[in-house]
Amino acid sequence: PFQSVTGVELSSELHRTALKNIEELKRLNRVQAVNITSIHGDAVSYRLPPVPHVIYVFNAFGADILQGVLDNISADLAEVKEPIYFLYNNPMHHQLLEVSPEFDKLSNAFGGKWMVFARPAKY
């Protein structure tokens, strides 16, 4: 289980749905993370806490927004020594990660929909 899981949702309706889903999972005792939440906001303006991350994205936005998210990851997690993982489902803009000096591609698309990238440890 992860220590925390945070979703960032721009749509008010989808954010409310996420909150309801979280409450239902808690009620059914199916949450293993210490903290699980949904944030109503813009992924580009969301600041990541400086801890190790596994970031999951389902092709939620265009290349310009993804580039802003990647820039924030680089800035917000610059001091994190541990690896940072980026799991990209339906990777429509994977070339942004492939040319990024921060990330290495760990796998080609598998199952036709996934690519995995990692920023190596900084020791």
Side-chain angles (χ1 to χ4, degrees), residues 111-122:
K113 328 195 279 194
W114 284 90
M115 294 180 89
V116 179
F117 298 85
R119 189 197 72 187
K122 294 182 174 185

Side-chain angles (χ1 to χ4, degrees), residues 34-53:
V34 174
N35 183 28
I36 182 170
T37 190
S38 178
I39 304 289
H40 181 221
D42 183 348
V44 174
S45 60
Y46 180 73
R47 308 315 305 187
L48 294 165
V51 297
H53 282 74

Side-chain angles (χ1 to χ4, degrees), residues 3 46-53 72-82 84 119:
Q3 182 176 9
Y46 180 73
R47 308 315 305 187
L48 294 165
V51 297
H53 282 74
N72 285 349
I73 291 168
S74 295
D76 294 347
L77 306 181
E79 301 303 317
V80 176
K81 304 271 188 238
E82 295 82 4
I84 305 297
R119 189 197 72 187

Side-chain angles (χ1 to χ4, degrees), residues 93-110:
H93 308 292
H94 61 89
Q95 57 273 41
L96 293 176
L97 284 128
E98 290 177 0
V99 301
S100 168
E102 293 279 324
F103 289 94
D104 297 326
K105 185 165 67 168
L106 298 184
S107 75
N108 288 320
F110 55 92

Side-chain angles (χ1 to χ4, degrees), residues 4-118:
S4 68
V5 175
T6 302
V8 180
E9 183 55 63
L10 185 60
S11 162
S12 296
E13 182 179 345
L14 293 177
H15 170 65
R16 285 190 300 273
T17 299
L19 291 174
K20 288 177 187 175
N21 289 342
I22 290 167
E23 288 308 311
E24 181 65 8
L25 289 170
K26 286 180 179 179
R27 187 184 71 74
L28 296 171
N29 200 27
R30 297 191 62 201
V31 174
Q32 295 183 18
V34 174
N35 183 28
I36 182 170
T37 190
S38 178
I39 304 289
H40 181 221
D42 183 348
V44 174
S45 60
Y46 180 73
R47 308 315 305 187
L48 294 165
V51 297
H53 282 74
V54 175
I55 299 164
Y56 165 82
V57 172
F58 180 87
N59 191 39
F61 22 71
D64 55 336
I65 303 289
L66 179 58
Q67 186 61 62
V69 169
L70 293 173
D71 291 345
N72 285 349
I73 291 168
S74 295
D76 294 347
L77 306 181
E79 301 303 317
V80 176
K81 304 271 188 238
E82 295 82 4
I84 305 297
Y85 294 95
F86 194 97
L87 288 67
Y88 195 7
N89 193 345
N90 192 22
M92 299 295 289
H93 308 292
H94 61 89
Q95 57 273 41
L96 293 176
L97 284 128
E98 290 177 0
V99 301
S100 168
E102 293 279 324
F103 289 94
D104 297 326
K105 185 165 67 168
L106 298 184
S107 75
N108 288 320
F110 55 92
K113 328 195 279 194
W114 284 90
M115 294 180 89
V116 179
F117 298 85

